[in-house]
Amino acid sequence: MVIFAGLDEISESEGMDREHMRMPQAQNDLIEAIANVNDNVIVVLSAGSAIEMPWYDKIGALVHGYLGGQAGASAMLNVLTGKVVPSGKLNESYPYHYEDTPAYHYYPSKERSSEYREALYVGYRYYTTVNKEVRFPFGYGLSYTSFAYDNIRVEQDKVTFTIRNTGAYDGTYTIFQGGGATITATKTFYVEDEFEYELEVYAASSITHNALSNLEFKIDDGTSTVLKSSNST
């Protein structure tokens, strides 16, 4: 059973801010009711931002299509039938509830103005720094194939490593590199912000079945760049 659900044009739009993270309740009720009598439910989401998923533990699989546009249906069909191996990674964290976000206590505002008191502690910077568990972390994403790291070497000015496609299908893997960071800001609520983790560089590598990709990241003054990438069997 495949259920297509998500946020409609009333729930999210360019001309408004969402006041909660819930999907329309009718959709939540539908997924719950079907999942209670069918243990093989796949939910395909269409949404441009994070949502709460009270039914998540009852379904068999979840595929997120974000906002696919005019050709989104045919693209999703290719993913569901295995013609295309999914390789996307979340570009935002998915908390369990809106109450878990740093903006919850200040938005929607009860006064005439809204204050962005979370400052630079937005998304994964907040959740990793305060050690807040989320449903899906920034950069999360599964695939029909699998990958493994090997030969990791950290030097003063670079990081080198190998990624092997250990699964049965060709696929693409996205690598994220980051670390702790201190940012000095003058126009926020904090003079100095310290993060447990901050993304520095990322790279995607397409790797065929049972092949490997050798990557090298150059580190320079707290930033990183992809120096080179090569594939071999």
Short mmCIF file of all heavy atoms in Angstrom, two decimals, residues 59-111:
data_model
loop_
_atom_site.label_atom_id
_atom_site.label_comp_id
_atom_site.label_asym_id
_atom_site.label_seq_id
_atom_site.Cartn_x
_atom_site.Cartn_y
_atom_site.Cartn_z
N ILE A 59 4.70 2.48 9.93
CA ILE A 59 4.81 2.27 8.49
C ILE A 59 6.08 1.49 8.16
O ILE A 59 7.00 1.38 8.97
CB ILE A 59 4.81 3.61 7.73
CG1 ILE A 59 6.04 4.44 8.11
CG2 ILE A 59 3.52 4.38 8.03
CD1 ILE A 59 6.20 5.71 7.27
N GLY A 60 6.11 0.95 6.93
CA GLY A 60 7.25 0.15 6.53
C GLY A 60 8.36 0.93 5.88
O GLY A 60 9.54 0.56 5.97
N ALA A 61 8.01 2.01 5.19
CA ALA A 61 9.02 2.80 4.49
C ALA A 61 8.51 4.22 4.29
O ALA A 61 7.30 4.47 4.26
CB ALA A 61 9.38 2.18 3.15
N LEU A 62 9.46 5.14 4.16
CA LEU A 62 9.13 6.55 3.95
C LEU A 62 10.03 7.09 2.85
O LEU A 62 11.26 6.98 2.91
CB LEU A 62 9.35 7.34 5.24
CG LEU A 62 9.15 8.85 5.18
CD1 LEU A 62 7.69 9.19 4.92
CD2 LEU A 62 9.62 9.51 6.48
N VAL A 63 9.41 7.68 1.82
CA VAL A 63 10.15 8.28 0.72
C VAL A 63 9.75 9.75 0.65
O VAL A 63 8.57 10.07 0.57
CB VAL A 63 9.85 7.60 -0.63
CG1 VAL A 63 10.71 8.20 -1.73
CG2 VAL A 63 10.07 6.10 -0.53
N HIS A 64 10.74 10.63 0.68
CA HIS A 64 10.46 12.07 0.67
C HIS A 64 10.76 12.64 -0.71
O HIS A 64 11.91 12.59 -1.17
CB HIS A 64 11.31 12.77 1.72
CG HIS A 64 10.79 14.11 2.12
ND1 HIS A 64 9.91 14.84 1.34
CD2 HIS A 64 11.03 14.89 3.22
CE1 HIS A 64 9.62 15.98 1.93
NE2 HIS A 64 10.29 16.04 3.08
N GLY A 65 9.75 13.20 -1.35
CA GLY A 65 9.94 13.77 -2.68
C GLY A 65 10.09 15.27 -2.68
O GLY A 65 10.25 15.88 -3.74
N TYR A 66 10.02 15.89 -1.48
CA TYR A 66 10.04 17.36 -1.37
C TYR A 66 8.99 17.93 -2.32
O TYR A 66 7.87 17.47 -2.37
CB TYR A 66 11.44 17.91 -1.63
CG TYR A 66 12.30 17.91 -0.39
CD1 TYR A 66 13.17 16.87 -0.11
CD2 TYR A 66 12.21 18.96 0.53
CE1 TYR A 66 13.95 16.87 1.04
CE2 TYR A 66 12.99 18.96 1.69
CZ TYR A 66 13.85 17.92 1.93
OH TYR A 66 14.62 17.91 3.06
N LEU A 67 9.32 18.94 -3.10
CA LEU A 67 8.38 19.54 -4.06
C LEU A 67 8.88 19.23 -5.46
O LEU A 67 9.72 19.94 -6.02
CB LEU A 67 8.28 21.06 -3.83
CG LEU A 67 7.83 21.47 -2.42
CD1 LEU A 67 7.84 22.99 -2.28
CD2 LEU A 67 6.44 20.93 -2.12
N GLY A 68 8.35 18.13 -6.02
CA GLY A 68 8.89 17.60 -7.27
C GLY A 68 8.50 18.35 -8.52
O GLY A 68 9.12 18.16 -9.57
N GLY A 69 7.48 19.18 -8.47
CA GLY A 69 7.09 19.94 -9.65
C GLY A 69 6.35 19.10 -10.67
O GLY A 69 5.82 18.02 -10.37
N GLN A 70 6.32 19.57 -11.91
CA GLN A 70 5.50 18.97 -12.95
C GLN A 70 5.89 17.53 -13.24
O GLN A 70 5.03 16.69 -13.51
CB GLN A 70 5.61 19.81 -14.23
CG GLN A 70 4.70 19.35 -15.36
CD GLN A 70 4.75 20.28 -16.56
OE1 GLN A 70 5.49 21.26 -16.55
NE2 GLN A 70 3.98 19.98 -17.58
N ALA A 71 7.18 17.22 -13.20
CA ALA A 71 7.65 15.86 -13.50
C ALA A 71 7.89 15.04 -12.24
O ALA A 71 8.50 13.97 -12.31
CB ALA A 71 8.93 15.93 -14.34
N GLY A 72 7.42 15.53 -11.11
CA GLY A 72 7.68 14.83 -9.86
C GLY A 72 7.07 13.45 -9.78
O GLY A 72 7.66 12.52 -9.21
N ALA A 73 5.87 13.25 -10.36
CA ALA A 73 5.20 11.96 -10.28
C ALA A 73 5.98 10.87 -11.02
O ALA A 73 6.17 9.76 -10.51
CB ALA A 73 3.78 12.07 -10.84
N SER A 74 6.45 11.18 -12.23
CA SER A 74 7.21 10.18 -12.99
C SER A 74 8.56 9.90 -12.34
O SER A 74 9.05 8.77 -12.34
CB SER A 74 7.41 10.65 -14.43
OG SER A 74 8.06 11.91 -14.47
N ALA A 75 9.17 10.94 -11.75
CA ALA A 75 10.45 10.73 -11.05
C ALA A 75 10.26 9.83 -9.84
O ALA A 75 11.08 8.93 -9.59
CB ALA A 75 11.04 12.08 -10.64
N MET A 76 9.18 10.05 -9.07
CA MET A 76 8.92 9.21 -7.91
C MET A 76 8.61 7.78 -8.33
O MET A 76 8.99 6.82 -7.65
CB MET A 76 7.76 9.79 -7.10
CG MET A 76 7.45 9.04 -5.83
SD MET A 76 8.86 8.90 -4.71
CE MET A 76 9.09 10.64 -4.25
N LEU A 77 7.92 7.60 -9.46
CA LEU A 77 7.64 6.26 -9.96
C LEU A 77 8.93 5.51 -10.25
O LEU A 77 9.06 4.31 -9.94
CB LEU A 77 6.78 6.34 -11.22
CG LEU A 77 6.43 5.00 -11.89
CD1 LEU A 77 5.59 4.13 -10.95
CD2 LEU A 77 5.69 5.23 -13.20
N ASN A 78 9.91 6.19 -10.81
CA ASN A 78 11.21 5.55 -11.09
C ASN A 78 11.90 5.12 -9.81
O ASN A 78 12.57 4.08 -9.77
CB ASN A 78 12.10 6.52 -11.86
CG ASN A 78 11.64 6.75 -13.28
OD1 ASN A 78 10.93 5.91 -13.86
ND2 ASN A 78 12.02 7.88 -13.87
N VAL A 79 11.75 5.89 -8.74
CA VAL A 79 12.35 5.53 -7.45
C VAL A 79 11.63 4.34 -6.84
O VAL A 79 12.26 3.38 -6.37
CB VAL A 79 12.32 6.73 -6.49
CG1 VAL A 79 12.74 6.30 -5.08
CG2 VAL A 79 13.24 7.83 -6.98
N LEU A 80 10.31 4.36 -6.86
CA LEU A 80 9.53 3.29 -6.23
C LEU A 80 9.70 1.96 -6.95
O LEU A 80 9.63 0.89 -6.31
CB LEU A 80 8.04 3.68 -6.19
CG LEU A 80 7.69 4.87 -5.28
CD1 LEU A 80 6.21 5.21 -5.41
CD2 LEU A 80 8.03 4.58 -3.83
N THR A 81 9.91 1.98 -8.24
CA THR A 81 10.06 0.74 -9.01
C THR A 81 11.50 0.28 -9.12
O THR A 81 11.78 -0.79 -9.67
CB THR A 81 9.48 0.92 -10.42
OG1 THR A 81 10.14 2.02 -11.07
CG2 THR A 81 7.98 1.20 -10.35
N GLY A 82 12.44 1.07 -8.58
CA GLY A 82 13.84 0.67 -8.61
C GLY A 82 14.59 1.05 -9.86
O GLY A 82 15.77 0.70 -10.01
N LYS A 83 13.96 1.78 -10.77
CA LYS A 83 14.66 2.22 -11.98
C LYS A 83 15.74 3.22 -11.62
O LYS A 83 16.79 3.27 -12.29
CB LYS A 83 13.66 2.83 -12.96
CG LYS A 83 14.26 3.22 -14.29
CD LYS A 83 13.20 3.76 -15.25
CE LYS A 83 13.82 4.13 -16.59
NZ LYS A 83 12.79 4.64 -17.54
N VAL A 84 15.49 4.00 -10.60
CA VAL A 84 16.47 4.97 -10.09
C VAL A 84 16.76 4.66 -8.63
O VAL A 84 15.83 4.41 -7.85
CB VAL A 84 15.95 6.42 -10.23
CG1 VAL A 84 16.88 7.39 -9.53
CG2 VAL A 84 15.78 6.78 -11.69
N VAL A 85 18.04 4.63 -8.27
CA VAL A 85 18.42 4.40 -6.88
C VAL A 85 18.44 5.75 -6.15
O VAL A 85 19.17 6.67 -6.55
CB VAL A 85 19.81 3.75 -6.79
CG1 VAL A 85 20.26 3.63 -5.34
CG2 VAL A 85 19.78 2.38 -7.45
N PRO A 86 17.64 5.91 -5.10
CA PRO A 86 17.61 7.20 -4.38
C PRO A 86 18.96 7.50 -3.74
O PRO A 86 19.63 6.61 -3.22
CB PRO A 86 16.52 7.00 -3.33
CG PRO A 86 16.44 5.51 -3.13
CD PRO A 86 16.75 4.92 -4.47
N SER A 87 19.34 8.76 -3.78
CA SER A 87 20.64 9.16 -3.21
C SER A 87 20.57 10.51 -2.52
O SER A 87 21.60 11.07 -2.16
CB SER A 87 21.70 9.22 -4.32
OG SER A 87 21.32 10.13 -5.34
N GLY A 88 19.36 11.04 -2.31
CA GLY A 88 19.23 12.35 -1.70
C GLY A 88 19.54 12.35 -0.21
O GLY A 88 19.41 11.33 0.47
N LYS A 89 19.97 13.48 0.29
CA LYS A 89 20.23 13.69 1.72
C LYS A 89 19.41 14.88 2.20
O LYS A 89 19.25 15.86 1.46
CB LYS A 89 21.72 13.95 1.97
CG LYS A 89 22.64 12.83 1.49
CD LYS A 89 22.45 11.56 2.28
CE LYS A 89 23.45 10.50 1.86
NZ LYS A 89 23.26 9.23 2.61
N LEU A 90 18.92 14.82 3.42
CA LEU A 90 18.13 15.91 3.96
C LEU A 90 18.97 17.17 4.12
O LEU A 90 20.07 17.12 4.67
CB LEU A 90 17.53 15.53 5.31
CG LEU A 90 16.42 14.47 5.31
CD1 LEU A 90 15.96 14.21 6.74
CD2 LEU A 90 15.24 14.91 4.46
N ASN A 91 18.43 18.29 3.65
CA ASN A 91 19.16 19.55 3.82
C ASN A 91 18.70 20.31 5.05
O ASN A 91 19.02 21.49 5.21
CB ASN A 91 19.00 20.43 2.57
CG ASN A 91 17.54 20.74 2.27
OD1 ASN A 91 16.66 20.44 3.06
ND2 ASN A 91 17.29 21.35 1.13
N GLU A 92 17.98 19.63 5.93
CA GLU A 92 17.54 20.22 7.19
C GLU A 92 17.27 19.10 8.18
O GLU A 92 17.09 17.94 7.79
CB GLU A 92 16.27 21.05 7.00
CG GLU A 92 15.13 20.24 6.38
CD GLU A 92 13.99 21.11 5.89
OE1 GLU A 92 13.84 22.22 6.42
OE2 GLU A 92 13.26 20.67 5.00
N SER A 93 17.25 19.42 9.45
CA SER A 93 16.94 18.44 10.50
C SER A 93 15.44 18.28 10.61
O SER A 93 14.68 19.23 10.40
CB SER A 93 17.52 18.89 11.84
OG SER A 93 18.91 19.13 11.76
N TYR A 94 15.00 17.09 10.99
CA TYR A 94 13.58 16.82 11.21
C TYR A 94 13.37 16.50 12.69
O TYR A 94 13.57 15.36 13.11
CB TYR A 94 13.11 15.65 10.34
CG TYR A 94 12.59 16.08 8.99
CD1 TYR A 94 13.41 16.80 8.12
CD2 TYR A 94 11.29 15.80 8.59
CE1 TYR A 94 12.93 17.21 6.89
CE2 TYR A 94 10.81 16.21 7.37
CZ TYR A 94 11.63 16.92 6.51
OH TYR A 94 11.16 17.34 5.29
N PRO A 95 12.98 17.49 13.48
CA PRO A 95 12.71 17.21 14.90
C PRO A 95 11.45 16.38 15.07
O PRO A 95 10.63 16.28 14.15
CB PRO A 95 12.53 18.61 15.49
CG PRO A 95 12.08 19.45 14.34
CD PRO A 95 12.75 18.89 13.12
N TYR A 96 11.29 15.79 16.25
CA TYR A 96 10.08 15.01 16.51
C TYR A 96 8.85 15.91 16.59
O TYR A 96 7.80 15.59 16.04
CB TYR A 96 10.22 14.24 17.83
CG TYR A 96 11.15 13.06 17.75
CD1 TYR A 96 12.47 13.15 18.21
CD2 TYR A 96 10.71 11.85 17.23
CE1 TYR A 96 13.32 12.07 18.13
CE2 TYR A 96 11.56 10.76 17.15
CZ TYR A 96 12.86 10.87 17.60
OH TYR A 96 13.70 9.79 17.52
N HIS A 97 8.99 17.04 17.27
CA HIS A 97 7.85 17.93 17.49
C HIS A 97 8.31 19.37 17.34
O HIS A 97 9.50 19.69 17.51
CB HIS A 97 7.26 17.73 18.89
CG HIS A 97 6.95 16.31 19.23
ND1 HIS A 97 5.87 15.63 18.71
CD2 HIS A 97 7.61 15.44 20.03
CE1 HIS A 97 5.86 14.39 19.18
NE2 HIS A 97 6.90 14.25 19.99
N TYR A 98 7.37 20.25 17.06
CA TYR A 98 7.70 21.67 16.96
C TYR A 98 8.26 22.19 18.28
O TYR A 98 9.12 23.07 18.31
CB TYR A 98 6.46 22.47 16.57
CG TYR A 98 6.71 23.96 16.48
CD1 TYR A 98 7.80 24.46 15.77
CD2 TYR A 98 5.87 24.86 17.11
CE1 TYR A 98 8.05 25.81 15.69
CE2 TYR A 98 6.11 26.23 17.04
CZ TYR A 98 7.20 26.70 16.33
OH TYR A 98 7.44 28.05 16.27
N GLU A 99 7.80 21.62 19.40
CA GLU A 99 8.29 22.03 20.71
C GLU A 99 9.78 21.77 20.88
O GLU A 99 10.41 22.32 21.79
CB GLU A 99 7.51 21.32 21.81
CG GLU A 99 6.07 21.74 21.93
CD GLU A 99 5.15 21.09 20.92
OE1 GLU A 99 5.64 20.30 20.07
OE2 GLU A 99 3.94 21.36 20.95
N ASP A 100 10.37 20.94 20.03
CA ASP A 100 11.80 20.64 20.11
C ASP A 100 12.67 21.70 19.43
O ASP A 100 13.89 21.67 19.57
CB ASP A 100 12.09 19.28 19.46
CG ASP A 100 11.42 18.13 20.19
OD1 ASP A 100 11.18 18.27 21.40
OD2 ASP A 100 11.12 17.11 19.53
N THR A 101 12.07 22.61 18.70
CA THR A 101 12.84 23.59 17.95
C THR A 101 13.20 24.79 18.83
O THR A 101 12.50 25.10 19.79
CB THR A 101 12.04 24.09 16.73
OG1 THR A 101 10.95 24.92 17.19
CG2 THR A 101 11.49 22.92 15.93
N PRO A 102 14.28 25.50 18.49
CA PRO A 102 14.67 26.67 19.30
C PRO A 102 13.71 27.85 19.14
O PRO A 102 13.77 28.79 19.92
CB PRO A 102 16.06 27.01 18.76
CG PRO A 102 16.07 26.47 17.37
CD PRO A 102 15.25 25.23 17.41
N ALA A 103 12.83 27.82 18.14
CA ALA A 103 11.92 28.94 17.90
C ALA A 103 10.59 28.77 18.62
O ALA A 103 9.78 29.71 18.64
CB ALA A 103 11.66 29.09 16.40
N TYR A 104 10.37 27.62 19.24
CA TYR A 104 9.04 27.31 19.78
C TYR A 104 8.56 28.34 20.80
O TYR A 104 7.39 28.75 20.77
CB TYR A 104 9.07 25.92 20.42
CG TYR A 104 7.85 25.63 21.26
CD1 TYR A 104 6.60 25.48 20.68
CD2 TYR A 104 7.95 25.50 22.64
CE1 TYR A 104 5.47 25.23 21.44
CE2 TYR A 104 6.83 25.25 23.42
CZ TYR A 104 5.60 25.11 22.80
OH TYR A 104 4.48 24.87 23.57
N HIS A 105 9.41 28.79 21.69
CA HIS A 105 8.99 29.69 22.76
C HIS A 105 8.75 31.13 22.28
O HIS A 105 8.18 31.93 23.01
CB HIS A 105 10.03 29.71 23.88
CG HIS A 105 10.14 28.39 24.59
ND1 HIS A 105 9.17 27.92 25.44
CD2 HIS A 105 11.11 27.43 24.55
CE1 HIS A 105 9.53 26.73 25.92
NE2 HIS A 105 10.69 26.41 25.40
N TYR A 106 9.18 31.42 21.05
CA TYR A 106 9.10 32.81 20.58
C TYR A 106 8.26 32.98 19.31
O TYR A 106 8.01 34.11 18.89
CB TYR A 106 10.51 33.36 20.32
CG TYR A 106 11.45 33.10 21.46
CD1 TYR A 106 12.44 32.13 21.38
CD2 TYR A 106 11.33 33.83 22.64
CE1 TYR A 106 13.29 31.89 22.45
CE2 TYR A 106 12.18 33.60 23.71
CZ TYR A 106 13.16 32.63 23.60
OH TYR A 106 14.00 32.39 24.66
N TYR A 107 7.83 31.88 18.72
CA TYR A 107 7.02 31.98 17.51
C TYR A 107 5.95 30.90 17.52
O TYR A 107 6.26 29.75 17.80
CB TYR A 107 7.89 31.84 16.25
CG TYR A 107 7.08 32.11 15.00
CD1 TYR A 107 6.91 33.41 14.54
CD2 TYR A 107 6.45 31.07 14.33
CE1 TYR A 107 6.14 33.67 13.42
CE2 TYR A 107 5.67 31.32 13.22
CZ TYR A 107 5.52 32.63 12.76
OH TYR A 107 4.74 32.88 11.67
N PRO A 108 4.70 31.21 17.18
CA PRO A 108 4.19 32.54 16.80
C PRO A 108 4.28 33.53 17.97
O PRO A 108 4.07 33.16 19.12
CB PRO A 108 2.74 32.28 16.43
CG PRO A 108 2.65 30.82 16.17
CD PRO A 108 3.67 30.17 17.06
N SER A 109 4.57 34.76 17.63
CA SER A 109 4.75 35.78 18.65
C SER A 109 3.43 36.17 19.30
O SER A 109 2.39 36.23 18.64
CB SER A 109 5.39 37.03 18.02
OG SER A 109 5.47 38.07 18.97
N LYS A 110 3.47 36.42 20.59
CA LYS A 110 2.30 36.91 21.30
C LYS A 110 2.30 38.43 21.40
O LYS A 110 1.39 39.04 21.95
CB LYS A 110 2.24 36.29 22.70
CG LYS A 110 2.14 34.77 22.70
CD LYS A 110 2.12 34.22 24.10
CE LYS A 110 1.96 32.71 24.10
NZ LYS A 110 3.04 32.03 23.40
N GLU A 111 3.35 39.04 20.87
CA GLU A 111 3.47 40.49 20.87
C GLU A 111 3.35 41.02 19.44
O GLU A 111 3.01 40.29 18.51
CB GLU A 111 4.81 40.90 21.49
CG GLU A 111 5.07 40.33 22.87
CD GLU A 111 4.09 40.84 23.91
OE1 GLU A 111 3.53 41.94 23.70
OE2 GLU A 111 3.89 40.15 24.93
#
